[in-house]
Amino acid sequence: MRDLEGLERIAPEIKEAGGVIVTASMDQWSELAQRQARMALGMTMLADPNGDLVRTFGLEDICFGEDIARPAAFLIDADGVVRWRNLPTSWRYRPEASAYLEAFMSGVIRE
């Protein structure tokens, strides 16, 4: 949950610069809604319990199976262009929020 807290901390700066944070999880919506309320998260959280997004973007964690997704991140501009992406090989790796903020502010594409 540390990653969600970090994203919440940088959300005002992202919003001020014209961006928005959206997360997606393989959890059921009811679980996400509870987590969002418990943690007082203001970001949009999408539920993907069937793994449709995970499969579309090839984010299955091959070490642990299709029911666990890698914590990928994409920064997409208003024109739908991916400006930065983070595609770790394991669900265990979660970058610090500062990495997202830096990437957003610089607008670079990182593979």
Side-chain angles (χ1 to χ4, degrees):
M1 303 305 160
R2 183 177 54 91
D3 52 332
L4 292 175
E5 292 167 342
L7 291 173
E8 188 69 19
R9 276 193 309 276
I10 67 168
E13 290 178 79
I14 297 287
K15 183 176 181 180
E16 187 176 309
V20 62
I21 295 175
V22 178
T23 67
S25 170
M26 290 182 69
D27 295 330
Q28 295 292 329
W29 169 242
S30 58
E31 294 173 55
L32 288 181
Q34 290 173 0
R35 184 176 307 130
Q36 192 171 25
R38 184 179 67 247
M39 297 177 70
L41 300 172
M43 68 190 78
T44 300
M45 299 177 80
L46 306 175
D48 183 30
N50 297 323
D52 296 331
L53 285 172
V54 171
R55 281 189 299 284
T56 297
F57 290 100
L59 301 174
E60 301 93 339
D61 190 317
I62 58 173
C63 295
F64 289 93
E66 293 182 5
D67 61 336
I68 296 180
R70 295 183 289 154
F74 301 89
L75 296 178
I76 304 169
D77 70 15
D79 296 321
V81 176
V82 175
R83 294 292 179 187
W84 179 84
R85 63 185 139 255
N86 177 51
L87 301 171
T89 57
S90 172
W91 64 271
R92 294 175 191 223
Y93 173 74
R94 305 204 181 229
E96 295 294 325
S98 59
Y100 298 120
L101 183 60
E102 179 184 337
F104 181 82
M105 295 303 188
S106 68
V108 299
I109 297 177
R110 195 178 293 168
E111 307 239 0

